[in-house]
Amino acid sequence: MTETDMVHEQIDTIDALMAHYVAGSLPEPARVLVQSHLEMKPANRSLVNSLELLAGEALESAPEVAIADRDGRLAAIFSSASPVPAPQTAARPKNALFPQALRSLLGFEAEDVPWRRRLPGFREYSLDMDGCEVSLMWIRPGRALPAHTHKGMELILILDGAFNDERGRFGPGDISIADETVDHRPVAEKDRPCIAFAVSDGPVKLTGSFRQMIGDLIG
């Protein structure tokens, strides 16, 4: 991971995102986002399984390389402390909204989110983690977010409800991938609030007309 990019290469498709997930090149919050997606849409694990199989075959066919300072490295391994077992996480509550991976990362469930009102009809909880801005978003039914593009990469996992933008519909378990090439104005569907988990490595840049921007900001 570089200082400003989520990964070293551009991610513009779900397949590319899954490939980086398998390669282990995603920062922790982005990895949790993908893992949560796979919990919500387990059918997509087949792609991950195929990529893992290809990676294993590539590793087996790679030429052998001698290990420098073999004895020193073995000595360091054997003298290191035993790994501390990961703490046990509480069982996922019945009918919980958050996937287990997300709940483990944040330490709470949907009903316990310390929301902060950012705009009329828009609430958010955000924190910095592993060089990324991590946030939960709550969008009132029918509310449009101001049109914007991105000065980096943004991944959004829909947890409940849905939003529509110029690219189509994103519902529960779907991942929106946006960067500087995407200029969009997400609008939450009218039947229920849209709740989403977002990971980004750069700020947004507002676009659209001044009149539309003012209207979207006041909700």
Side-chain angles (χ1 to χ4, degrees):
M1 176 177 168
T2 66
E3 292 182 356
T4 58
D5 296 330
M6 197 172 294
V7 292
H8 295 295
E9 301 171 17
Q10 183 182 23
I11 296 176
D12 55 3
T13 65
I14 293 295
D15 287 0
L17 179 62
M18 294 301 158
H20 282 285
Y21 172 75
V22 170
S25 59
L26 295 175
E28 179 63 10
R31 185 195 66 79
V32 169
L33 184 145
V34 173
Q35 189 174 343
S36 298
H37 160 78
L38 294 173
E39 286 185 45
M40 298 180 72
K41 292 198 167 184
N44 290 352
R45 289 185 180 275
S46 59
L47 171 61
V48 171
N49 293 338
S50 297
L51 291 171
E52 289 175 337
L53 180 61
L54 289 173
E57 292 175 348
L59 184 62
E60 289 182 357
S61 62
E64 296 181 0
V65 178
I67 299 176
D69 189 23
R70 174 179 176 276
D71 293 338
R73 293 194 179 193
L74 287 174
I77 292 172
F78 291 129
S79 63
S80 62
S82 300
V84 178
Q88 292 289 330
T89 57
R92 187 183 183 196
K94 188 177 180 180
N95 300 322
L97 178 64
F98 289 174
Q100 182 62 55
L102 179 57
R103 183 168 173 267
S104 298
L105 178 74
L106 299 174
F108 49 75
E109 247 298 331
E111 61 268 21
D112 301 317
V113 178
W115 296 112
R116 294 188 64 181
R117 182 177 180 271
R118 299 297 188 187
L119 296 170
F122 177 71
R123 292 183 282 175
E124 186 179 37
Y125 167 74
S126 61
L127 67 156
D128 293 328
M129 183 182 297
D130 202 7
C132 300
E133 181 177 347
V134 177
S135 63
L136 292 166
M137 300 183 292
W138 182 97
I139 310 171
R140 184 186 65 213
R143 207 235 194 267
L145 296 184
H148 62 276
T149 186
H150 302 268
K151 294 183 178 180
M153 181 168 294
E154 177 189 67
L155 305 175
I156 298 179
L157 171 68
I158 307 302
L159 301 169
D160 194 35
F163 75 72
N164 292 269
D165 66 10
E166 292 74 3
R167 300 166 298 167
R169 181 182 188 270
F170 295 86
D174 292 338
I175 297 176
S176 162
I177 302 174
D179 58 16
E180 69 278 1
T181 67
V182 175
D183 190 335
H184 61 155
R185 181 174 177 260
V187 180
E189 292 190 346
K190 295 182 178 180
D191 61 332
R192 62 193 298 128
C194 179
I195 301 175
F197 173 56
V199 179
S200 62
D201 63 1
V204 300
K205 178 183 177 182
L206 296 181
T207 59
S209 69
F210 179 76
R211 181 177 180 178
Q212 182 189 68
M213 187 186 306
I214 294 300
D216 289 342
L217 287 173
I218 65 176

